[in-house]
Amino acid sequence: MPSEALEVPARAHPLWRPKRLLVTPAALSWPQGAAMAERAAALGAEVVRLKADRLTGLPDTYRDAKTTMAVVVASPSRRKPQPIPPSADWRFDLAEGCPAHCAYCYLAGSLTGPPIIRAYANLPEILGALPPVLGQGQVTSRNAARAAEGTTFEGSCYTDPLGIEHITGSLAETIRFFGAWEAEAQLRFTTKYDAIGSLLNLPHNRRTRIRFSVNARGAERFEGGAPRVRNRLHAMRQAAMAGYRIGLTVAPILNLPDWREAYDILLADCAAALVGAPDPDLTVELITHRFTESSREVLQGWYPGSGLEMDPAQRSRKLTKFGSAKYVFPKALMAELRAGLEASVSRHLPHARVLYFT
Ligand code: SF4
């Protein structure tokens, strides 16, 4: 049975307001950087104009870091697109960091230093680095389910770009850029946020797939500061009705006591949210919970007592392609989760394409 997640949420999730925004001189010289500083100031942030382009005065507590945004210029190495299977052909970064406080956050294992949010001001240079790699992707060319999408570009590897869009405006500009592109290419990003209004009327030309990160009701207690799943589903419906291609990122799949029923309800809710959507071209990515030694250490420091199971004794140890170890669910449980989740997708979303289970 679908749940009340289908109801229009009583209120939108409040927009994130940074307490402090640090901006470098180089970033301020870009119109996008100056606009970010203005928007943050209008939200009440203290705007600190740094004297040099090196970031200084970074906070050292978690709480202060999570309320600080830095607007900087992405260096040439940072602007170079990187292969990023299985999510997409290429990754590019509009920002790093996220305002939410998820106890399982994958960023804990990938970003170092205090968890501030860095937004990049030199968007024209970032977008200008994308056309040279068109047609060179590996994911799309090797995967029949992706062939029609052209070269795919992932914009949310190290951030939730919708969560900070009201300050950056970068997503809207990127969506327009892809919409105007002649060649077959697709922008993809994942979000747990719901403030989709500013994107609905853009000339996206169906070249953007917005993937909503959703989870079972029992997982919401681990997603501090993020909009409720019902808000995300409402945003997904709005995006689908505005003609965007849609994706579901079911992540991280947890070994909840009632996981079969919980994820079945979630997928029924997703289906109900898309009723009447003209052609969402729905894809589904199924990602189980995993952690590394270092992400576990960081997360347990940030969220002591979160109650999220991160016990190596209950997991299988696997080596990543980079030679480090990650802890995943044991093989038998992985097989059960896969069969259960895929059955629920087939039952409720028979036209969806499952891109991968990992
Ligand atoms: Fe991390 Fe995503 Fe949660 Fe942000 S919304 S804290 S990126 S898991």
Side-chain angles (χ1 to χ4, degrees):
M1 282 280 293
S3 67
E4 77 269 20
L6 304 179
E7 293 169 11
V8 175
R11 64 183 179 93
H13 187 78
L15 294 175
W16 178 68
R17 291 162 182 252
K19 280 204 179 114
R20 262 200 334 155
L21 180 128
L22 312 174
V23 58
T24 64
L28 263 185
S29 73
W30 287 89
Q32 290 84 356
M36 290 180 205
E38 273 172 31
R39 292 187 198 111
L43 286 169
E46 174 201 0
V47 174
V48 180
R49 292 164 189 260
L50 298 173
K51 299 252 180 316
D53 287 329
R54 206 169 67 82
L55 272 186
T56 51
L58 292 185
D60 48 15
T61 66
Y62 171 83
R63 182 197 285 247
D64 288 345
K66 286 294 258 190
T67 51
T68 298
M69 184 176 221
V71 182
V72 296
V73 165
S75 65
S77 62
R78 172 59 70 194
R79 300 197 299 264
K80 192 164 176 238
Q82 301 292 330
I84 184 76
S87 166
D89 292 311
W90 300 100
R91 173 197 117 208
F92 71 107
D93 299 319
L94 300 170
E96 275 186 12
C98 171
H101 307 272
C102 300
Y104 52 69
C105 182
Y106 65 100
L107 295 180
S110 24
L111 298 178
T112 53
I116 64 164
I117 294 170
R118 282 166 216 260
Y120 297 126
N122 50 334
L123 196 55
E125 288 187 328
I126 293 170
L127 298 179
L130 306 184
V133 300
L134 257 180
Q136 295 176 30
Q138 297 184 353
V139 171
T140 305
S141 56
R142 287 185 190 168
N143 185 331
R146 303 277 190 90
E149 304 192 319
T151 311
T152 49
F153 293 86
E154 167 67 59
S156 56
C157 269
Y158 292 135
T159 187
D160 188 317
L162 189 57
I164 52 175
E165 174 66 7
H166 56 292
I167 299 171
T168 66
S170 304
L171 259 186
E173 203 165 325
T174 305
I175 289 169
R176 278 200 196 92
F177 176 83
F178 275 79
W181 217 338
E182 293 293 323
E184 281 306 315
Q186 186 189 85
L187 166 67
R188 306 156 57 72
F189 68 89
T190 303
T191 186
K192 276 192 173 66
Y193 278 81
D194 63 342
I196 198 87
S198 65
L199 308 185
L200 295 179
N201 294 319
L202 296 177
H204 57 74
N205 204 13
R206 280 177 74 78
R207 293 258 171 73
T208 294
R209 184 180 298 283
I210 308 180
R211 290 131 73 223
F212 290 87
S213 173
V214 292
N215 216 322
R217 182 69 54 82
E220 283 191 310
R221 67 194 155 105
F222 301 119
E223 299 177 338
R228 302 290 307 271
V229 171
R230 71 171 68 114
N231 289 63
R232 296 174 223 164
L233 293 184
H234 180 58
M236 177 172 82
R237 176 168 187 79
Q238 291 177 288
M241 298 309 274
Y244 281 98
R245 295 181 198 272
I246 299 296
L248 285 170
T249 307
V250 184
I253 298 165
L254 300 176
N255 182 21
L256 299 166
D258 57 347
W259 66 260
R260 269 179 215 283
E261 190 193 0
Y263 285 105
D264 196 67
I265 289 173
L266 171 70
L267 288 158
D269 287 344
C270 294
L274 291 173
V275 166
D279 178 16
D281 185 36
L282 186 66
T283 58
V284 180
E285 292 152 273
L286 301 170
I287 304 173
T288 55
H289 181 240
R290 70 262 334 271
F291 57 88
T292 63
E293 288 289 0
S294 64
S295 70
R296 178 171 174 265
E297 194 181 323
V298 171
L299 288 168
Q300 288 184 337
W302 287 352
Y303 312 114
S306 79
L308 180 66
E309 178 273 302
M310 283 193 284
D311 177 7
Q314 295 187 41
R315 300 298 185 110
S316 292
R317 189 170 183 272
K318 273 182 84 171
L319 283 184
T320 69
K321 62 186 170 189
F322 306 110
S324 57
K326 63 181 172 185
Y327 293 91
V328 299
F329 292 127
K331 202 170 168 189
L333 177 57
M334 283 291 252
E336 278 186 51
L337 288 168
R338 179 173 200 156
L341 269 286
E342 288 184 352
S344 289
V345 173
S346 302
R347 185 159 42 248
H348 299 295
L349 298 162
H351 302 298
R353 285 179 286 144
V354 176
L355 296 182
Y356 57 86
F357 172 97
T358 185

